[in-house]
């Protein structure tokens, strides 16, 4: 029963597995929706989109590889459990972003709707991961560390970093696409900033 046992301040193993898989599924669906509308997002996912649009590389593979350098920071600052969970979430999300386009087809996606719903899906997926002490790697690791260390809201920290990535998007995208991508990033990060607070949700 150890896998099922949970306490008011700690998730069980089964709860962690469900939370990480569900969060990864939501994030991958959000990425698929943004990709269908040729939009971008911030963070390492945004860098993955940039390389995909500019060089035709696989988003899933690039996203997985871009996150590799951040695991050392995660291990040193946030512990082995967080690092393993995050590696798993990134791997599952990367795999699903490659599989989903063959399973779900968006024949027509309004770009504004894609920005709002895609950003919300990714933000909700990341929220689930954060609450199980995991993330989608990259800037999320840094954002969580700064929140734990200094009390800065993870959503606002990541929003600032995302804006840097989106600024680079001017090299490959039109101003309209970038404006809608900023909308997606804002939706994502406001979802985190409003809903994720360590003083409200303390389960580890």
């Amino acid at each position: 029963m150890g896998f099922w046992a949970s306490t008011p301040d700690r998730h069980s193993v089964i709860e962690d597995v469900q939370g990480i898989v569900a969060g990864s599924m939501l994030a991958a669906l959000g990425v698929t929706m943004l990709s269908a509308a040729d939009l971008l997002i911030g963070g390492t996912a945004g860098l993955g989109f940039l390389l995909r649009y500019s060089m035709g590389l696989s988003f899933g593979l690039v996203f997985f590889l871009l996150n590799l350098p951040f695991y050392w920071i995660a291990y040193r600052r946030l512990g082995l459990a967080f690092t393993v969970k995050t590696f798993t979430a990134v791997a599952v999300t990367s795999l699903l972003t490659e599989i989903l386009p063959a399973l779900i087809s968006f024949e027509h996606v309004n770009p504004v709707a894609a920005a709002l719903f895609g950003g919300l899906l990714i933000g909700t997926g990341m929220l689930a991961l954060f609450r199980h002490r995991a993330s989608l790697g990259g800037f999320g690791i840094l954002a969580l560390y700064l929140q734990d260390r200094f009390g800065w809201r993870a959503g606002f920290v990541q929003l600032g970093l995302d804006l840097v990535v989106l600024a680079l998007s001017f090299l490959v995208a039109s101003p309209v696409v970038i404006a809608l991508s900023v909308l997606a990033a804002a939706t994502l990060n406001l979802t985190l900033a409003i809903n994720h607070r360590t003083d409200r949700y303390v389960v580890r």
Side-chain angles (χ1 to χ4, degrees), residues 26-68:
L26 288 170
L29 181 59
V31 167
T32 301
M33 183 172 289
L34 292 178
S35 180
D38 293 325
L39 300 181
L40 304 102
I41 200 71
T44 49
L47 294 176
F49 274 127
L50 286 174
L51 291 173
R52 179 194 170 196
Y53 294 148
S54 63
M55 302 177 65
L57 300 177
S58 161
F59 172 86
L61 178 60
V62 170
F63 179 64
F64 180 80
L65 294 177
L66 284 173
N67 277 290
L68 292 179

Side-chain angles (χ1 to χ4, degrees), residues 76-124:
R76 296 284 294 179
R77 299 295 187 179
L78 297 165
L80 179 61
F82 176 89
T83 305
V84 171
K85 290 177 184 179
T86 295
F87 179 87
T88 302
V90 170
V92 172
T93 302
S94 298
L95 179 62
L96 287 176
T97 57
E98 295 299 305
I99 295 174
L100 277 181
L103 302 177
I104 300 174
S105 176
F106 294 98
E107 294 184 4
H108 171 71
V109 183
N110 180 280
V112 176
L116 292 173
F117 283 93
L120 179 62
L121 282 167
I122 298 173
T124 304

Side-chain angles (χ1 to χ4, degrees), residues 42-44 47 67 70 137-144 157-158 161-162 165:
T44 49
L47 294 176
N67 277 290
F70 291 92
F139 297 158
I141 291 175
L142 181 58
L144 275 181
V157 171
Q158 186 150 337
L161 296 171
D162 287 348
V165 174

